[in-house]
Amino acid sequence: MVRTCSLLLLVWWATPLLGQGTTSSGSLRFDPNEVDKSAEPCADFYQYACGTWMKTHPIPPDRSAWDPYYELAEKDADIVRGILEGREQGQGEDYRKVTSYYAACMDEATADKKGLEALDGDLLQIAQIRTAEDSVVALAKVQTLGADALLAFYPNQDLKDSEHVIATLDQGSLGMTDRDYYLKDDPDSRKLRDEYRAHVARMLELSGLSREASLAGADAVLQLETTMAEAMPTREQQRDPTTQYHKLTLSELEHLIPSWPWRHYFAALGAQPVTSVNVTSPEYLEKTTRVWLGLGLQARKAYLRWHMLHTMAAALPSSFVEEDFHFYGTLLRGTREMQPLWKRCARLTNDALGEAVGKVFVAGHFPGGAKERALAQIRSIQTALRDDISSLDWMTDATRQEALRKLEVFRIKVGYPERWRDYTGLRVSRDDALGNAMRANRFEFVRQARKIGKPVDRDEWFSLPQDVDGYQSTALVEIVFTAGLLQPPFFDPAMDDAVNFGAIGRAMGHEFTHGFDDHGRKFDERGNLRDWWTPEDNARFEERSKCFVDEYSQFVVVDDKKLNGQLTLGENMADNAGLRLAYAALRNKLRSKPEQLVDGLTPEQRFFLAFAETQCGNVTDQTARNRLLTDPHSPGRWRVNGTVRNMPEFQKAWGCKPGQPMVAENACRVW
Ligand SMILES: [Zn+2]
C-alpha cells in the first residue's frame, strides 16, 4: 500500500506478470517503419503509430490483453524460467528454496493426490466456530494467509508522521473485484452476479461441502459482499488521502466499535502490540463489523471457507485451478486459455521468493552501465521539471518553493534493491505445493506485521527487479525503475536520445509528476499528508485539473461507454506532464547538437513515435469494461491521443492544423 502509483498497475495487479502468452514478436526494438501508413498522424496518432502493431500482435489465447509491456514481461519470464529450471544457476540456500518451490508447484500429480491436506488445520478451525469471538479469531487466521476477508489489515507509513509505520484497517476485497458489479442493475452486472454465485458454490462443493450447503454458502457470500460494496467509498473517493486518515489509539478504536474483540483479533493476527491504527473508513468498519457479528454461524463459516479457497486458488489441486480460471479468466476477463503450468508456477515462485529469484536475474541481465545511464536520464528529467516549476505563471512563490524542495529530495531507485530480502525461516518442501504457498503467505504476513511500530525502511522495494515496472510512492517520496523494465523497447542504449526520451524518458517524467498530481500534491517533501498549497494556487490547480477531467470524460472506450475522467485524472495528468518534461529534457540535450534526420524522421518525430509505440495494445472487450471501472490509467489510445492533442510541440513536429482531431480546441495543461 506504500506504492501509490504505478506505470504498470495492470501488469502486477490485474493479470499475472509472469507467464505471458505465447506470441513472440522477435525484436522489441523501436521501428519507425511499423507505422500504419493508411492513417493520418494528425487525425489519429495512435492509429498511425499502432495500427500495424495491433494487426500483427493479436491477443494470445491465454491472455486478456496484449501490449509491449507484456511482450517484454514475456521475455523476462523466459529468463526467469531458465533460473527456476536450473539452466542459469544461483547460489546458496535461497536458490535451493527457489528451485524446490518451483519443482513442487510443477508436480501436479502429487499436489492433486494431497488435495487440501495442508488446509486441514485451518478448515477445522472454521468448522469449530461456536461463538462470535471464535469467528473473529478465525477471520484473523484467514487474513494471515493474505486474504483481505471483510477487512484488510496491513502496515502503512503514518500519513502524518512519515518516519513511522502504523497498523492500517482498510476495507476488505470483493470477489468480483469492484463494487459496481454488486450494485448496478444492468443485465451484464446481473449476469455476472449469477455466474459468480455459481462459481463460489462450485469452489465450496469441490472442497467437500454438500451441494445444498454450497449453494447456501454462495448466497451468504454474495449477500455479505453486497453489504461490503454498499459500505465502500468509491474508487474516486479513495483517491483523496485526506478522507482516508483516521488515526485512533487502541482504546479509541475499542470505544468506536466496542462489540468487536479487538485485542483477540490483533493477537490472532500476530500483530501485538497495536497501540494506534489508521482506519481508512470508520463508516465501513462500523457497518461491516456489525453485520459480521450479526451473521448466522453457517454464513460466517461459508464466507471464511470461500475466502481461504479463493486466496489459495492458484496453489490448490487442478480442479480448483480450472474452476478459478473459468470465472476469473474466462468470464471476468475474456481470456480463452489458461497459462501453461510453468508460467503459473513461475508467478507463484516470484510471489513467494521474488527477491531470491531477482538476485540471480540481475547478476546475469542487468549490465553495469545501464544503471548509470538510466540515472543520468532521470536527472535530466528532474532538471526539466525544476525549470518548469520555476517558470510556471500560475503558481505563487510560496507554493513554488515548497514544490521545488519536494522535487529535490526525491529518492531515485534504479535496477534492484541495495539490500536483499532475508528468507531464513521460510520452510520449503519439494513435494508440498499448497503447504509451501501457505507458509510463504504467512511468512510474508509476519514480515509485514513486524514493521508496525518501527521506523520506515527506506531501502525496501515494492516491486521485483525482474518485473517490468516503474512506480512512484508519494509517502516515501521516491521513484523506482526495475531492471526488468530498463530494456528495449523502453530503454535501449543502442538507440538515439530521441527514442529513449520518448519511451522511458516520458515514463520517468510521468512518475515524477505523480508526486504533484491530484493525490501526490497533498503530501509534502517528507511524505507527510500536509496542505502546502496557498488557497489561490489550490484553486488554480483545481481549475486546471478540471480541464483534464472534462477532456478525458469525452473519450469513448468500449461499446458506448466513456472514460471516467475523475478516476483517471492522476494518470492523465502524469501522462501529459511526463511527455512534456521528456520533450523539454530532450531539447536541452539536443541544443548543442545539429539536428539530424534518422530514418527520414526528425528527432521530434522519433520522440513522439517512440512514445506512442510503447502504448500500443489490444484488449478484450470484457477486460476493457473491467478496466473502465477499476483502472486509474486510460487505455493506450487515449494515453497517446489525449496527450499529444494538448501539445503544440507535437502539432509542430507533424504539421497539424487547427480543427484536426490531434489539435485540442482548449489544450489542458498543469505542468
Ligand atoms: Zn502512473
Side-chain angles (χ1 to χ4, degrees):
M1 305 296 162
V2 169
R3 48 178 299 159
T4 41
C5 295
S6 172
L7 182 63
L8 258 197
L9 196 71
L10 290 170
V11 170
W12 62 265
W13 166 80
T15 40
L17 172 66
L18 283 167
Q20 313 296 321
T22 42
T23 25
S24 171
S25 62
S27 169
L28 294 178
R29 187 150 278 165
F30 170 71
D31 184 358
N33 298 313
E34 272 199 0
V35 295
D36 179 353
K37 299 212 170 66
S38 69
E40 271 292 320
C42 296
D44 185 342
F45 191 59
Y46 178 82
Q47 190 61 35
Y48 177 72
C50 295
T52 305
W53 188 97
M54 287 192 288
K55 267 196 218 118
T56 52
H57 294 74
I59 304 170
D62 61 349
R63 309 295 315 197
S64 59
W66 195 243
D67 60 34
Y69 293 95
Y70 290 138
E71 275 191 285
L72 178 55
E74 165 89 341
K75 191 181 144 221
D76 290 345
D78 280 335
I79 298 171
V80 167
R81 184 183 194 179
I83 295 168
L84 300 176
E85 294 181 352
R87 286 188 298 284
E88 191 172 330
Q89 294 201 348
Q91 282 161 1
E93 182 59 14
D94 277 0
Y95 182 65
R96 189 202 61 77
K97 285 180 183 174
V98 163
T99 52
S100 298
Y101 195 99
Y102 179 73
C105 180
M106 291 297 287
D107 186 356
E108 257 188 323
T110 302
D112 284 351
K113 202 164 74 206
K114 288 197 155 193
L116 300 184
E117 205 180 287
L119 279 178
D120 278 352
D122 290 86
L123 290 173
L124 185 68
Q125 187 181 12
I126 294 172
Q128 287 174 340
I129 293 174
R130 296 282 173 272
T131 64
E133 196 175 295
D134 292 348
S135 78
V136 170
V137 169
L139 175 74
K141 197 81 185 295
V142 172
Q143 289 173 345
T144 63
L145 279 176
D148 293 333
L150 195 74
L151 315 170
F153 174 86
Y154 54 87
N156 206 0
Q157 219 172 330
D158 187 331
L159 293 182
K160 292 190 178 172
D161 174 15
S162 64
E163 293 306 314
H164 291 96
V165 180
I166 56 168
T168 304
L169 278 170
D170 201 349
Q171 60 208 19
S173 61
L174 299 170
M176 280 191 284
T177 68
D178 192 83
R179 64 198 284 284
D180 276 12
Y181 289 129
Y182 294 82
L183 306 179
K184 280 196 168 170
D185 204 37
D186 58 285
D188 282 353
S189 304
R190 281 205 302 271
K191 184 158 163 266
L192 193 71
R193 283 199 286 275
D194 288 341
E195 285 163 342
Y196 178 61
R197 187 190 284 116
H199 166 64
V200 175
R202 277 194 294 270
M203 291 288 277
L204 291 173
E205 202 176 352
L206 281 172
S207 79
L209 291 192
S210 71
R211 179 86 193 128
E212 208 186 344
S214 302
L215 287 170
D219 280 336
V221 168
L222 194 62
Q223 212 165 21
L224 177 57
E225 290 189 346
T226 305
T227 310
M228 289 164 62
E230 284 163 356
M232 272 179 193
T234 63
R235 281 178 200 268
E236 299 90 87
Q237 287 162 348
Q238 288 176 49
R239 279 195 66 78
D240 183 356
T242 52
T243 66
Q244 305 282 301
Y245 188 76
H246 310 90
K247 188 174 166 182
L248 304 174
T249 63
L250 182 57
S251 50
E252 283 168 339
L253 180 65
E254 286 174 322
H255 185 72
L256 179 72
I257 304 172
S259 52
W260 193 263
W262 289 109
R263 285 165 206 260
H264 284 101
Y265 171 70
F266 290 135
L269 287 171
Q272 290 279 59
V274 171
T275 50
S276 60
V277 55
N278 179 36
V279 176
T280 56
S281 166
E283 297 77 25
Y284 174 88
L285 194 66
E286 270 187 285
K287 180 163 182 197
T288 51
T289 49
R290 190 176 63 237
V291 168
W292 177 262
L293 294 174
L295 275 185
L297 204 55
Q298 293 312 319
R300 286 186 202 139
K301 289 182 183 181
Y303 178 75
L304 292 178
R305 190 179 183 95
W306 148 248
H307 248 290
M308 187 168 290
L309 298 168
H310 174 57
T311 302
M312 299 313 301
L316 294 178
S318 46
S319 51
F320 290 88
V321 174
E322 280 154 25
E323 174 55 38
D324 184 71
F325 176 76
H326 172 67
F327 181 75
Y328 287 99
T330 310
L331 298 175
L332 195 65
R333 303 219 163 83
T335 316
R336 283 169 288 160
E337 277 175 24
M338 206 189 303
Q339 295 181 332
L341 184 62
W342 77 262
K343 292 181 176 175
R344 288 182 272 135
C345 287
R347 176 165 61 87
L348 290 173
T349 312
N350 264 346
D351 286 348
L353 290 149
E355 288 201 5
V357 178
K359 210 191 296 185
V360 190
F361 179 93
V362 164
H365 304 274
F366 191 58
K371 186 166 181 158
E372 283 65 45
R373 188 163 168 183
L375 265 174
Q377 204 180 338
I378 294 173
R379 295 286 178 211
S380 74
I381 304 282
Q382 195 175 20
T383 302
L385 181 53
R386 187 184 304 125
D387 294 347
D388 180 65
I389 293 174
S390 304
S391 63
L392 285 176
D393 57 6
W394 58 267
M395 195 177 254
T396 61
D397 261 345
T399 307
R400 192 190 317 276
Q401 291 317 317
E402 291 258 16
L404 288 171
R405 257 209 315 275
K406 177 167 177 174
L407 179 64
E408 291 322 306
V409 301
F410 253 92
R411 187 180 287 249
I412 297 165
K413 294 177 174 172
V414 170
Y416 54 90
E418 298 292 316
R419 180 167 42 78
W420 296 99
R421 200 170 291 172
D422 182 1
Y423 294 103
T424 315
L426 173 59
R427 190 164 64 78
V428 178
S429 151
R430 231 181 156 81
D431 64 355
D432 185 13
L434 178 55
N436 288 344
M438 292 176 67
R439 281 188 293 274
N441 285 8
R442 289 202 156 122
F443 182 79
E444 172 63 11
F445 191 89
V446 169
R447 186 181 79 85
Q448 296 292 347
R450 280 186 185 150
K451 294 180 186 172
I452 294 168
K454 303 224 172 75
V456 170
D457 172 9
R458 297 200 176 264
D459 290 331
E460 184 173 6
W461 280 53
F462 294 88
S463 190
L464 298 170
Q466 64 272 35
D467 287 352
V468 181
D469 202 6
Y471 66 87
Q472 184 270 161
S473 166
T474 31
L476 290 165
V477 199
E478 66 178 18
I479 57 172
V480 184
F481 293 91
T482 63
L485 172 70
L486 293 169
Q487 303 178 75
F490 301 98
F491 180 70
D492 190 347
M495 281 282 159
D496 48 319
D497 284 326
V499 169
N500 275 306
F501 276 84
I504 196 75
R506 80 96 219 161
M508 291 163 172
H510 172 110
E511 296 304 337
F512 263 126
T513 45
H514 269 315
F516 304 89
D517 70 10
D518 61 323
H519 176 94
R521 78 186 186 91
K522 295 183 171 133
F523 293 79
D524 67 13
E525 84 277 8
R526 297 179 58 195
N528 281 319
L529 184 59
R530 176 173 71 82
D531 190 2
W532 46 273
W533 292 65
T534 64
E536 50 185 319
D537 286 321
N538 198 39
R540 287 177 189 153
F541 182 91
E542 293 294 337
E543 185 192 318
R544 279 168 174 73
S545 24
K546 188 169 177 303
C547 178
F548 287 110
V549 175
D550 294 343
E551 180 184 23
Y552 281 77
S553 296
Q554 299 163 22
F555 300 150
V556 176
V557 175
V558 60
D559 313 321
D560 56 354
K561 296 187 174 78
K562 290 181 175 166
L563 253 181
N564 180 340
Q566 195 66 49
L567 175 66
T568 56
L569 174 62
E571 293 300 330
N572 297 334
M573 283 170 69
D575 278 345
N576 277 270
L579 194 64
R580 206 179 280 282
L581 292 173
Y583 184 88
L586 175 67
R587 292 294 333 151
N588 286 343
K589 192 129 196 233
L590 293 181
R591 200 178 290 154
S592 51
K593 292 183 194 164
E595 194 146 302
Q596 273 180 343
L597 293 188
V598 183
D599 302 318
L601 296 169
T602 65
E604 287 78 7
Q605 289 172 327
R606 288 170 71 77
F607 169 86
F608 286 110
L609 214 44
F611 151 63
E613 286 191 7
T614 61
Q615 303 302 315
C616 299
N618 282 310
V619 57
T620 63
D621 284 353
Q622 287 98 318
T623 294
R625 288 184 201 111
N626 187 265
R627 287 183 182 175
L628 204 53
L629 294 179
T630 58
D631 189 355
H633 301 83
S634 299
R637 180 177 297 273
W638 298 116
R639 293 190 79 167
V640 172
N641 291 353
T643 312
V644 298
R645 65 198 293 283
N646 286 326
M647 276 184 78
E649 298 87 342
F650 168 84
Q651 288 136 22
K652 189 167 163 237
W654 293 92
C656 304
K657 305 272 176 302
Q660 289 188 293
M662 294 300 101
V663 184
E665 219 171 293
N666 300 308
C668 302
R669 176 171 181 177
V670 174
W671 305 102

